[in-house]
Amino acid sequence: QVQLVESGGGLVQPGGSLRLSCAASGFTFSKNDMCWYRQAPGKERELVAFITSSGDITNYPDSVKGRFTISRDNAKNTVYLQMNSLKLEDTAVYYCNAFIGTGARFGSWGQGTQVTVSS
């Protein structure tokens, strides 16, 4: 049974930083590309970071490029998202998932972690 448990969210001021974690189980983590998505109220879920299974390639949309960094620890079955220079528009619930083809591999998502950027 696939489990994805996100943590590390919170309330932060604009310009601040947060580090999110996602503990994965129920599949072979080290052989899967991973990603982070976010969903703001009233908006569709948006891909914000991608990392290959070995961690050698990452990719980001322009909206977060240069501010967000995805990384992983295959020994701990954990993927991270370091978020710096946070903006009001980064406010959303953040989710992790494995990545396959053009998007999330698993239809069952974790509970996500809320990130609120507010002054």
Side-chain angles (χ1 to χ4, degrees):
Q1 181 181 357
V2 171
Q3 281 197 314
L4 301 163
V5 181
E6 300 90 350
S7 62
L11 174 64
V12 63
Q13 292 185 339
S17 298
L18 283 174
R19 188 193 193 207
L20 308 184
S21 299
C22 169
S25 61
F27 63 102
T28 309
F29 180 83
S30 63
K31 294 186 177 180
N32 277 265
D33 299 340
M34 294 295 294
C35 61
W36 284 93
Y37 277 80
R38 69 184 179 188
Q39 188 166 24
K43 295 189 176 181
E44 292 188 356
R45 200 164 286 176
E46 170 192 19
L47 179 67
V48 295
F50 162 87
I51 188 168
T52 53
S53 57
S54 64
D56 60 339
I57 297 174
T58 59
N59 201 9
Y60 311 89
D62 288 343
S63 58
V64 307
K65 193 173 294 182
R67 302 188 297 117
F68 288 11
T69 302
I70 188 172
S71 61
R72 64 190 295 160
D73 185 338
N74 284 346
K76 295 182 178 180
N77 284 6
T78 300
V79 61
Y80 304 97
L81 186 67
Q82 177 67 43
M83 305 186 297
N84 298 329
S85 302
L86 283 163
K87 303 178 180 180
L88 297 176
E89 53 264 40
D90 295 321
T91 295
V93 180
Y94 285 71
Y95 304 87
C96 69
N97 207 312
F99 189 93
I100 191 168
T102 59
R105 175 180 176 184
F106 302 118
S108 176
W109 296 80
Q111 84 288 349
T113 187
Q114 174 72 49
V115 172
T116 303
V117 184
S118 175
S119 55

